[in-house]
Amino acid sequence: LFRHGRALSTFLIWIAFFVSLLDIYLLSSWLPTVFHNAGITLSLSVAATAVFQGGGVVASLLLGLFIDRFGAFKTVSFIYLLGAVFVALLGYSHSIGFIMAAAFFAGAGIVGGQTGTNVLSASLYPTYIRSTGVGWGLGIGRIGSIAGPIFGGLMLSRHFPLTTIFMAASISAFVGGAAIFLMG
C-alpha cells in the first residue's frame, strides 16, 4: 500500500475514510437528540435523520453519472464540500423545511462522499492488493465511526452550542473533500 508511489494516496484516502465515517456516525447518532434539544419534536427530529440518510441514498445512486461526466476526484471532492456546507447550515436552521432540505443535502454530501471514497479506494490499487487497500481504508474509517459518536457526546455533555457542533462536523467533511482533491 505504501510502495510504488502509493504512500501519499493511501494516507489521503485513509483520512477521507476516517472523517467521512466519523461524520456519518456522529450525525446519525446525535441528530435526533440535537434537534430535539433545540425544540423540534422528537418525531420530526427522527425524520430529519431519515432524510439525512435518504440524501445519501440518492447521491449514491447518482454519483456514477457525475463521475463519468466530471471525473472521480472532482466529483467526490465536490460532494464532500457540498456536505460540509449543508452540515454547517444545519446549525443555523430554524424552520422545519430548511432543516429537512439541509439534512438531505448534508446526507447527500457525507454519505455520497463515503460511497465515492469506496469507489476511489478500489481504483487506487492494482488487482493483487485491491482488497487489502480497500479493507485497510474501511478499517481506518471504522476508527472514525467509533470516534464520531464519542466526539458528539462529549460536545453535547459540555453544552456546546449547536452551531459549534455542526461546524465541527462540517470541518470533518471539508477535510475529507480536501484529501480527495489532493489525491486528484
Side-chain angles (χ1 to χ4, degrees), residues 22 28 34 94 113 155 178:
L22 181 145
S28 295
V34 168
H94 297 293
M155 288 189 292

Side-chain angles (χ1 to χ4, degrees), residues 55-72 74-80 108-120:
V57 170
V58 171
S60 296
L61 292 172
L62 296 175
L63 201 58
L65 298 172
F66 291 103
I67 287 174
D68 286 344
R69 182 172 177 117
F70 301 108
K74 286 180 184 176
T75 301
V76 177
S77 295
F78 174 78
I79 200 159
Y80 272 127
I110 306 300
V111 178
Q114 175 58 43
T115 301
T117 302
N118 291 339
V119 171
L120 278 175

